[in-house]
C-alpha cells in the first residue's frame, strides 16, 4: 500500500473517504491502494450542437451569427442516460473525460452564458455520480472552432479577432460542410487546418497577442487578454455552478484539464516561408504560412498538393487557390464607429478589414513580400534565443487557468496537457500543490490515416522529438508494433517525472477508426460478407490499449463513446469514426439474430425442451441503414431453458459494441501495493498481474474487510455456456472438492449440448464466398459481435439461432445488476486467497517481511466443445 497523508496537500483539510490522492506515479485512494482509472471520452457528440453534425450546412452560418446554438442534450439524451451509463459501467469503466467546448457555454456573446446547458450538465454529472464514475472536465477544441474547420470556441471570437469566417473556404481553409461534396471530405484532412490562416492566427493571438499583435486592442485589452479572460471566466462560471449544486466536486468531478490539444499558431516559426518541422501531416492543398497570409488577403497562390500513401504523405502536384476577390478579414462596415453588434469597442489603432500581420509589419500586401520572415521565431524575453512556445506562452496561460479553477474547486486535480507529443515544461510544486496528472494523447497515426491495420508501423514520438530518423523508426510485424507502442508510451512517464514530479499519467485520448478498409465492417465490400466483423479494429485497438498495460500501468480514456454515431456519418464530425459503440451496429445485430432465428425456425431446427416463450421480432429503432436483407418474422417460439438473466446481461453488454474484446479488458481497479506488470491475451483469454509490495506496507486483511486488490474480469470474455445456460445452480466455491464436482456437472451438461449440436450437422460450401459465409456462421462472434465463450458450443446455425435471440425476450433492468456467479475461470495465485463477486475478483495476500512480488493469473476455463484457441497468426476474429 502507498502511504497517504490524512490531510489534503492543497488545502490542509482532512481527506474524506472518497478522496483520491495523486502521488507515487499513481492515483491512490485513502486506504493506500493504487487506482487505475479507465474509461471513455463522453463524448465526441458534444463537439457540435444538437442536430448540427459537421456535414450539415443548412443554418450553419446564420445560427452562429445569431448565437442561437443549442447544446442541451449533449453528450447524451437524459432519457437514455441510464442505459448508456449501465453499459459503460458493465464494461468495467470507472473514469469519464467530460467534453465541454467553450462554444457550448458562451455562444450567445461575450459574458452571456448558456445556463440551460449548464443546468443540463449538472444533471448529467449527477447521473455520472449515481453510477460511480469519476470525471475530469475537458475544455475541448480542435483547430480553434467549428467555424475554422474544427470545434471549440464560439463564433464571436473570430469576429473579435477581425476575421470573417464566411470567407475561410474561399481563402484556402477546409470546412467540412463547405467542401464540394461533404460525403467525400478527405479523411483526416482536418488536422491540416492547424496550419491554415484562421487557426494559425487565432492561437497566436490567444497565447501571444501581447507580444506579436500589440495593436490588437479591444475594450481596452490586448486581444490575448480579452480571449483568455473570457475563456477562463466561462469555465470558472461552470465550475462555480457545479460547486453550488453540491455533492459533485471530488466525489464525482475530480479535476479539470487544460485546453485540449493547444497549438502554437505562428509562434516558433523561424521562417514563415516554410512549414514547421513538426508538421508531419500534409494533405490536400497545403499552403506555407506565408502563402496562407497572402490567401487570406485575397491574393491567388500556387500551393503544393499532398496525398497520403501507405507510408505517409507525398507531394503529388500543385494547385492554384484563387479567392476571387474575397478576404478572410472582417469588413469595416460590420462595426460602425468601431462598435460591434457583439458589444465590444475596437481600438482605432486596429484597422478592421486589413490583415493584422500587415499592420504589424510582417509583410507588404502590395508586393506580397514577407518583410520579417522570422517575426514569430525569436524570443521576446531574449531576442538572441529561439522562442519556446511551451515555456513562454503555454505555461503562463496554464498558471492563470489553474489559479482561477482552484478558487472554484480547491481540491481539483490539474490534468496537464501541453501541445501534442511535446513534453511539459518545468512546473513548480507551488503551482501544483500535490494535485496533478499528466494527460497526453496517443493514437496509432498510421492506422488512423490509412484506415488499415498494417504489417508495419513507426515510432512517431521519437521522430517528432528528433531522436530517430523516420526511416529508422519503422517496426515490422504485430509483436514489434505492440512493443513499439509500449516504448512510445513509456516516454510519457519520463516527461512527467522530469518536469512535473511523481504524478500519474492518463492517456486522455486513444482509439482506432472503425471505418477501416473501405468500410468493410459496414458491408461496403465483398458483398457484405464482413458486415459486423471488427477483427482488424480489435487487433489495432488492442495494440494501443496493451501499451497502457505491460510495465506502463497507465490510466486512459478512450476516444470516444458517441450515442449518435451512424454508419453513414460516423461520429458526425469531419468524417471521424472512432466510437466504440454505435446504434447502427446494435440494430444490425438484432436484425441478424432475428434472421438466423427465423431461418432455423422455418427449417424446424429449434430445440423445444421445457416450457416455450413467445416473443415478437424487434422493430428497428432510430436508424436508416440498409434493410434490403431484412426478414419479416412473426411470433417465434423459444425454449424456456435457453433464458437466463446472465444471457440478457451478455447481450446488453455486447450489442452495438465494436472491438469489444479490445476495450472491455481485465485490469486491476484497486491494488494493494504497486502494480508492476499487466498482461492480457484476447486470443487465449488469459490475464496476469504482478504486484510489488514493499516491506512494512500492510496489504493483508481478514476476509470481509474491504482493502483487497480488486480486479475487473469481464463476463463478455470470461463466462461460458455453463454460466450463460446453467443446467442447475451451484454456489461458487474455491475448495478443490467443490471445484471438481462443479466441473464434472458442467462437463456432463456440455457433452449433452455438444451431442445435440453434432446431431444436426453442418452446412457444406463449394465456393470461396460460401466458405467464408460458412466460417462466419460457425463463428457468430464475427457476424453478431457475441462473446467467443458465449458461442463455445454454437458450432451450427441451430444453437446459434436459438441463443442469438435471447436478448429479445426481455430487456435488462438498469442500473445493471451482474449475477454473483457469472464468471467461469481458473485462478492461480502465488500467495493469498481470492473470491469472485460478479465481474470483480478480490485478492488478499499477507504483508511480507521483505519486499516481495505477488502474481495472479486468470484464465477462462476451457471445455470440450470450445473452439480451438487461435494461433498467434490468426488475429482476433472477435467483434
Amino acid at each position: 500500500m502507498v502511504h497517504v497523508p490524512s490531510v489534503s496537500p492543497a488545502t490542509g483539510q482532512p481527506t474524506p473517504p472518497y478522496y483520491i490522492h495523486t502521488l507515487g506515479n499513481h492515483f491512490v485512494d485513502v486506504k493506500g491502494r493504487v487506482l487505475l482509472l479507465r474509461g471513455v471520452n463522453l463524448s465526441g457528440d458534444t463537439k457540435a450542437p444538437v442536430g448540427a453534425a459537421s456535414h450539415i450546412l443548412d443554418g450553419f452560418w446564420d445560427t452562429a451569427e445569431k448565437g442561437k446554438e443549442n447544446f442541451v442534450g449533449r453528450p447524451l439524451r437524459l432519457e437514455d442516460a441510464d442505459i448508456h451509463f449501465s453499459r459503460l459501467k458493465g464494461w468495467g469503466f470507472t473514469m469519464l473525460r467530460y467534453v465541454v467546448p467553450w462554444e457550448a457555454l458562451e455562444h450567445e456573446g461575450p459574458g452571456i452564458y448558456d445556463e440551460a446547458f449548464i443546468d443540463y450538465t449538472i444533471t448529467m454529472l449527477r447521473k455520472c455520480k449515481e453510477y460511480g464514475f469519476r470525471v475530469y472536465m475537458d475544455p475541448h477544441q480542435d483547430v480553434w472552432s467549428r467555424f475554422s474547420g474544427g470545434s471549440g470556441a464560439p463564433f464571436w471570437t473570430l469576429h473579435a479577432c477581425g476575421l470573417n469566417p464566411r470567407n475561410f473556404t474561399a481563402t484556402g481553409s477546409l470546412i467540412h460542410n463547405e467542401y464540394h461534396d461533404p460525403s467525400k471530405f478527405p479523411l483526416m484532412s482536418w488536422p491540416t487546418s492547424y496550419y491554415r490562416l484562421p487557426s494559425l492566427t487565432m492561437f497566436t493571438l490567444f497565447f501571444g497577442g501581447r507580444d506579436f499583435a500589440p495593436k490588437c486592442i479591444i475594450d481596452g485589452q490586448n486581444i490575448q487578454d480579452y480571449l483568455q479572460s473570457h475563456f477562463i471566466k466561462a469555465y470558472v462560471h461552470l465550475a462555480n455552478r457545479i460547486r453550488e449544486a453540491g455533492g459533485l466536486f471530488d466525489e464525482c468531478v475530480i479535476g479539470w484539464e487544460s485546453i485540449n490539444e493547444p497549438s502554437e499558431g505562428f509562434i516558433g516559426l523561424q521562417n514563415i516561408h516554410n512549414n514547421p518541422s513538426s508538421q508531419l501531416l500534409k494533405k490536400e492543398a497545403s499552403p506555407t504560412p506565408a502563402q496562407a497570409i497572402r490567401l487570406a488577403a485575397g491574393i491567388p497562390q500556387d500551393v503544393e498538393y499532398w496525398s497520403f500513401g501507405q507510408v505517409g504523405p507525398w507531394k503529388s502536384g500543385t494547385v492554384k487557390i484563387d479567392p476571387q476577390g474575397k478576404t478572410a478579414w472582417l469588413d469595416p462596415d460590420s462595426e460602425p464607429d468601431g462598435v460591434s453588434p457583439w458589444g465590444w469597442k475596437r481600438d482605432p489603432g486596429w484597422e478592421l478589414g486589413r490583415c493584422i500581420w500587415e499592420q504589424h509589419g510582417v509583410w507588404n500586401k502590395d508586393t506580397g513580400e514577407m518583410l520579417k520572415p522570422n517575426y514569430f521565431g525569436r524570443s521576446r524575453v531574449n531576442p538572441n534565443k529561439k522562442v519556446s512556445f511551451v515555456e513562454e506562452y503555454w505555461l503562463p496561460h496554464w498558471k492563470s487557468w489553474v489559479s482561477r479553477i482552484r478558487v472554484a474547486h480547491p481540491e481539483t486535480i490539474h490534468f496537464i496537457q501541453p501541445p501534442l507529443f511535446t513534453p511539459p515544461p518545468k512546473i513548480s510544486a507551488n503551482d501544483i500543490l500535490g494535485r496533478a496528472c499528466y494527460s497526453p494523447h496517443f493514437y496509432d497515426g498510421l492506422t488512423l490515416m490509412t484506415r488499415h491495420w498494417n504489417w508495419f508501423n513507426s515510432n512517431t514520438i521519437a521522430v517528432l522529438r528528433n531522436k530517430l530518423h523516420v526511416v529508422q523508426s519503422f517496426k515490422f510485424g504485430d509483436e514489434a508494433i505492440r512493443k513499439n507502442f509500449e516504448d512510445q508510451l513509456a516516454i510519457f512517464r519520463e516527461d512527467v517525472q522530469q518536469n512535473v514530479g511523481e504524478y500519474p499519467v492518463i492517456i486522455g485520448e486513444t482509439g482506432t477508426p472503425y471505418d477501416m478498409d473501405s468500410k468493410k465492417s459496414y458491408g461496403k465490400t465483398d458483398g457484405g460478407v464482413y458486415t459486423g466483423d471488427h477483427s482488424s479494429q480489435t487487433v489495432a485497438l488492442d495494440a494501443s490499449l496493451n501499451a497502457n498495460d505491460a510495465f506502463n500501468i497507465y490510466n486512459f480514456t478512450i476516444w470516444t463513446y458517441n450515442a449518435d454515431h451512424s454508419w453513414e456519418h460516423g461520429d458526425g464530425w469531419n468524417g471521424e469514426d472512432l466510437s466504440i459503440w454505435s446504434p447502427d451496429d446494435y440494430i444490425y445485430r438484432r436484425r441478424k439474430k432475428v434472421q438466423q432465428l427465423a431461418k432455423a425456425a422455418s427449417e424446424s431446427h429449434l430445440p423445444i425442451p421445457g416450457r416455450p416463450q413467445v416473443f415478437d421480432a424487434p422493430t428497428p429503432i432510430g436508424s436508416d441503414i440498409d434493410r434490403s436483407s431484412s426478414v419479416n418474422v412473426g411470433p417465434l417460439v423459444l425454449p424456456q431453458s435457453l433464458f437466463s438473466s446472465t444471457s440478457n446481461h451478455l447481450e446488453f453488454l455486447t450489442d452495438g459494441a465494436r472491438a469489444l474484446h479490445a476495450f472491455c479488458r481485465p485490469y486491476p481497479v484497486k491494488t494493494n501495493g504497486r502494480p508492476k506488470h499487466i498482461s492480457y491475451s484476447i486470443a487465449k483469454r488469459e490475464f496476469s498481474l504482478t504486484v510489488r509490495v514493499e516491506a512494512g506496507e500492510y496489504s493483508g486483511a481478514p476476509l470481509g474487510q474491504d482493502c483487497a486488490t480488486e480486479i475487473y474480469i469481464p463476463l463478455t470474455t470470461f463466462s461460458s455456456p455453463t454460466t450463460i445456460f446453467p443446467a442447475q445452480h451451484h454456489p461458487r466455491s474455491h475448495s478443490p472438492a467443490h471445484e471438481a464436482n462443479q466441473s464434472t456437472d458442467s462437463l456432463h451438461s456440455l457433452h449433452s449440448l455438444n451431442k445435440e449440436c453434432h446431431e444436426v450437422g453442418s452446412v457444406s460450401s463449394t465456393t470461396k464466398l460460401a466458405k467464408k459465409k460458412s466460417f462466419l456462421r460457425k463463428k457468430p462472434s464475427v457476424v453478431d459481435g457475441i462473446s467467443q465463450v458465449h458461442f463455445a458450443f454454437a458450432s451450427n446455425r441451430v444453437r446459434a439461432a436459438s441463443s442469438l435471440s435471447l436478448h429479445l425476450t426481455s430487456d435488462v433492468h438498469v442500473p445493471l445488476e451482474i449475477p454473483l456467479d457469472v464468471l467461469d475461470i481458473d485462478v492461480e495465485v502465488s500467495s493469498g486467497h481470492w473470491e469472485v463477486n460478479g465481474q470483480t475478483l478480490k485478492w488478499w495476500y499477507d504483508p511480507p517481511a521483505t519486499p516481495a512480488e505477488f502474481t495472479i493469473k486468470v484464465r477462462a476455463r476451457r471445455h470440450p466443445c470450445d473452439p480451438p484457441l487461435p494461433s498467434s497468426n490468426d488475429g482476433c476474429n472477435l467483434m
Side-chain angles (χ1 to χ4, degrees):
M1 300 171 72
V2 179
H3 174 72
V4 294
S6 59
V7 298
S8 162
T11 65
Q13 297 296 313
T15 55
Y18 50 77
Y19 192 85
I20 293 180
H21 295 270
T22 56
L23 39 82
N25 299 317
H26 295 290
F27 293 110
V28 181
D29 70 11
V30 294
K31 297 178 181 179
R33 291 180 298 182
V34 169
L35 305 178
L36 265 187
L37 300 177
R38 293 182 167 183
V40 297
N41 280 260
L42 195 71
S43 118
D45 284 331
T46 315
K47 288 187 177 187
V50 174
S54 66
H55 66 279
I56 300 173
L57 182 58
D58 185 38
F60 180 71
W61 296 113
D62 292 341
T63 303
E65 289 170 341
K66 296 174 183 177
K68 297 300 182 182
E69 292 92 341
N70 175 31
F71 284 85
V72 174
R74 297 299 194 201
L76 302 168
R77 289 176 289 276
L78 183 59
E79 57 269 29
D80 300 331
D82 286 307
I83 294 293
H84 293 299
F85 285 131
S86 289
R87 183 178 292 117
L88 291 168
K89 185 176 181 180
W91 287 339
F93 292 142
T94 58
M95 183 70 142
L96 301 175
R97 183 175 184 244
Y98 201 95
V99 176
V100 181
W102 182 7
E103 182 189 8
L105 299 173
E106 201 176 1
H107 52 80
E108 196 168 342
I112 305 173
Y113 303 126
D114 189 336
E115 301 295 350
F117 171 73
I118 294 174
D119 289 339
Y120 190 85
T121 299
I122 291 170
T123 300
M124 293 302 296
L125 290 174
R126 292 206 182 281
K127 277 290 179 186
C128 295
K129 178 183 176 181
E130 179 183 334
Y131 282 84
F133 290 107
R134 299 304 180 104
V135 171
Y136 66 112
M137 306 299 287
D138 163 32
H140 202 88
Q141 75 79 38
D142 307 273
V143 298
W144 186 258
S145 168
R146 286 195 299 135
F147 312 101
S148 52
S151 68
F155 178 88
W156 57 261
T157 61
L158 294 153
H159 275 192
C161 294
L163 289 163
N164 179 9
R166 282 187 179 262
N167 288 345
F168 284 173
T169 296
T171 53
S173 291
L174 280 175
I175 299 177
H176 187 187
N177 56 27
E178 290 195 328
Y179 196 71
H180 60 84
D181 183 351
S183 68
K184 297 180 180 178
F185 190 67
L187 296 175
M188 290 306 297
S189 60
W190 71 263
T192 67
S193 291
Y194 275 114
Y195 306 101
R196 302 177 193 276
L197 188 283
S199 183
L200 287 169
T201 296
M202 294 304 298
F203 280 105
T204 302
L205 297 179
F206 182 83
F207 284 109
R210 288 197 300 267
D211 286 344
F212 298 101
K215 295 181 180 181
C216 293
I217 304 296
I218 190 170
D219 281 351
Q221 291 180 295
N222 182 269
I223 189 63
Q224 172 184 336
D225 301 308
Y226 185 83
L227 292 173
Q228 286 198 25
S229 64
H230 276 286
F231 172 82
I232 293 174
K233 285 178 182 177
Y235 286 98
V236 168
H237 179 73
L238 173 63
N240 284 331
R241 287 289 316 278
I242 295 172
R243 185 192 70 246
E244 292 163 3
L248 290 173
F249 277 164
D250 308 323
E251 296 179 65
C252 175
V253 179
I254 63 172
W256 296 75
E257 192 170 26
S258 53
I259 187 170
N260 180 71
E261 296 183 358
S263 172
E264 300 90 336
F266 287 112
I267 301 172
L269 286 176
Q270 299 304 308
N271 187 338
I272 56 177
H273 290 291
N274 302 325
N275 292 99
S277 58
S278 60
Q279 185 186 351
L280 294 185
L281 174 60
K282 295 180 182 178
K283 201 168 185 181
E284 297 282 297
S286 298
T288 65
Q291 289 176 321
I293 289 173
R294 296 189 192 103
L295 283 168
I299 302 173
Q301 298 288 290
D302 293 316
V303 305
E304 294 179 349
Y305 192 90
W306 286 71
S307 300
F308 199 93
Q310 191 175 19
V311 295
W314 59 284
K315 180 182 173 182
S316 55
T318 59
V319 63
K320 177 181 283 293
I321 301 177
D322 186 354
Q324 298 183 343
K326 295 181 178 180
T327 81
W329 301 103
L330 199 60
D331 191 319
D333 294 338
S334 64
E335 294 187 5
D337 300 321
V339 178
S340 168
W342 296 103
W344 59 70
K345 183 174 178 59
R346 199 176 302 271
D347 189 86
W350 184 349
E351 187 179 342
L352 200 62
R354 183 183 173 203
C355 172
I356 63 171
W357 306 122
E358 182 190 9
Q359 295 181 57
H360 287 88
V362 178
W363 72 299
N364 185 314
K365 181 183 177 183
D366 294 334
T367 64
E369 181 185 1
M370 295 294 131
L371 304 175
K372 300 177 181 178
N374 67 340
Y375 179 76
F376 302 101
R378 311 309 296 177
S379 170
R380 295 314 194 253
V381 177
N382 183 352
N384 295 321
K385 294 178 59 178
K386 293 181 179 180
V387 67
S388 169
F389 170 78
V390 172
E391 292 179 358
E392 296 178 45
Y393 296 99
W394 179 85
L395 183 58
H397 163 70
W398 181 85
K399 289 183 176 181
S400 297
W401 165 259
V402 300
S403 65
R404 294 292 304 281
I405 287 292
R406 189 182 294 128
V407 172
H409 186 177
E411 297 289 359
T412 187
I413 297 172
H414 304 296
F415 288 78
I416 302 168
Q417 186 191 161
L420 282 175
F421 301 131
T422 301
K426 296 286 185 180
I427 298 179
S428 167
N430 292 331
D431 292 318
I432 294 173
L433 299 181
R435 309 284 290 154
C437 175
Y438 184 35
S439 57
H441 296 175
F442 177 80
Y443 287 99
D444 169 8
L446 186 63
T447 300
L448 201 59
M449 292 299 304
T450 63
R451 294 300 206 267
H452 178 73
W453 174 252
N454 296 275
W455 56 276
F456 63 93
N457 214 294
S458 66
N459 190 325
T460 305
I461 298 178
V463 172
L464 286 170
R465 297 190 180 183
N466 298 314
K467 295 183 177 181
L468 285 177
H469 187 275
V470 65
V471 175
Q472 298 173 304
S473 71
F474 282 101
K475 308 295 179 181
F476 303 94
D478 283 4
E479 290 306 312
I481 292 171
R482 290 165 68 89
K483 182 62 168 62
N484 169 40
F485 290 175
E486 290 177 31
D487 293 342
Q488 288 189 70
L489 263 64
I491 295 173
F492 294 144
R493 180 75 71 199
E494 299 173 9
D495 287 346
V496 67
Q497 288 183 338
Q498 292 174 4
N499 298 303
V500 184
E502 292 191 346
Y503 292 101
V505 174
I506 187 168
I507 303 302
E509 291 184 21
T510 190
T512 201
Y514 288 89
D515 56 345
M516 292 169 67
D517 301 314
S518 302
K519 296 191 175 183
K520 182 171 70 173
S521 298
Y522 302 156
K524 299 298 185 181
T525 67
D526 303 282
V529 170
Y530 294 95
T531 307
D533 179 352
H534 296 120
S535 53
S536 294
Q537 293 90 335
T538 298
V539 175
L541 184 58
D542 178 52
S544 291
L545 297 185
N546 172 75
N548 291 272
D549 289 341
F551 291 102
N552 287 325
I553 321 292
Y554 287 166
N555 311 272
F556 61 70
T557 43
I558 300 168
W559 188 271
T560 172
Y561 182 96
N562 279 28
D564 288 345
H565 178 277
S566 72
W567 285 3
E568 181 178 3
H569 297 296
D571 298 337
W573 184 81
N574 283 344
E576 284 201 345
D577 194 335
L578 289 91
S579 179
I580 63 174
W581 185 85
S582 173
D584 283 357
D585 279 272
Y586 174 84
I587 293 165
Y588 166 76
R589 287 171 184 150
R590 285 175 69 97
R591 182 183 304 111
K592 191 70 175 178
K593 293 167 190 177
V594 172
Q595 290 171 348
Q596 292 185 348
L597 180 62
K599 180 175 175 61
S602 67
E603 297 174 354
S604 301
H605 283 158
L606 280 177
I608 314 292
R611 179 183 300 176
Q613 284 195 4
V614 179
F615 70 96
D616 292 318
T619 300
I621 52 175
S623 181
D624 191 27
I625 61 176
D626 179 22
R627 293 181 170 82
S628 59
S629 61
S630 61
V631 175
N632 293 323
V633 182
L636 301 172
V637 179
L638 295 177
Q640 177 69 31
S641 62
L642 292 179
F643 306 124
S644 72
S645 61
T646 305
S647 65
N648 281 340
H649 291 135
L650 180 66
E651 303 289 346
F652 175 76
L653 295 175
T654 298
D655 279 343
R658 293 127 64 85
L660 174 73
H661 294 276
F663 70 76
C664 188
R665 55 200 299 119
Y667 72 98
V669 179
K670 303 174 182 179
T671 304
N672 243 324
R674 292 170 174 82
K676 181 178 179 181
H677 187 268
I678 298 173
S679 175
Y680 171 49
S681 169
I682 296 177
K684 296 180 180 180
R685 291 187 283 148
E686 294 180 354
F687 167 81
S688 70
L689 166 69
T690 299
V691 179
R692 180 173 178 81
V693 182
E694 300 298 330
E697 288 186 341
Y698 179 73
S699 59
L703 191 64
Q705 290 191 16
D706 188 21
C707 57
T709 289
E710 298 183 12
I711 303 170
Y712 168 73
I713 307 292
L715 74 87
T716 52
T717 301
F718 290 87
S719 58
S720 78
T722 57
T723 54
I724 302 301
F725 306 102
Q728 54 182 333
H729 178 69
H730 292 280
R732 189 64 186 272
S733 170
H734 305 298
S735 69
H738 281 91
E739 290 284 352
N741 292 336
Q742 184 179 16
S743 177
T744 301
D745 292 341
S746 299
L747 290 178
H748 177 76
S749 175
L750 281 169
H751 281 308
S752 299
L753 289 170
N754 198 37
K755 180 180 179 182
E756 179 185 339
C757 291
H758 287 293
E759 286 175 351
V760 176
S762 60
V763 179
S764 61
S765 307
T766 55
T767 67
K768 182 177 181 180
L769 183 60
K771 288 180 179 178
K772 175 62 178 175
K773 290 182 177 178
S774 176
F775 172 79
L776 293 177
R777 183 161 49 242
K778 292 179 181 179
K779 289 195 174 181
S781 55
V782 176
V783 176
D784 302 273
I786 303 300
S787 170
Q788 181 182 8
V789 292
H790 188 183
F791 287 94
F793 57 87
S795 59
N796 65 83
R797 64 183 183 276
V798 178
R799 178 61 65 175
S802 301
S803 59
L804 285 170
S805 65
L806 289 176
H807 74 292
L808 303 176
T809 62
S810 63
D811 293 327
V812 297
H813 295 287
V814 293
L816 198 64
E817 295 183 5
I818 303 296
L820 298 182
D821 197 17
V822 70
L823 302 179
D824 190 20
I825 54 178
D826 291 317
V827 180
E828 176 185 339
V829 294
S830 62
S831 178
H833 59 278
W834 56 275
E835 70 175 27
V836 174
N837 186 335
Q839 296 186 104
T840 300
L841 186 154
K842 292 187 176 182
W843 176 29
W844 292 266
Y845 31 87
D846 295 327
T850 59
E853 293 182 359
F854 303 129
T855 299
I856 185 170
K857 296 180 180 179
V858 181
R859 302 178 181 88
R861 186 171 291 154
R862 302 288 299 166
H863 296 290
C865 59
D866 284 357
L869 288 174
S871 68
S872 58
N873 296 323
D874 286 341
C876 301
N877 291 313
L878 303 168
M879 300 202 59

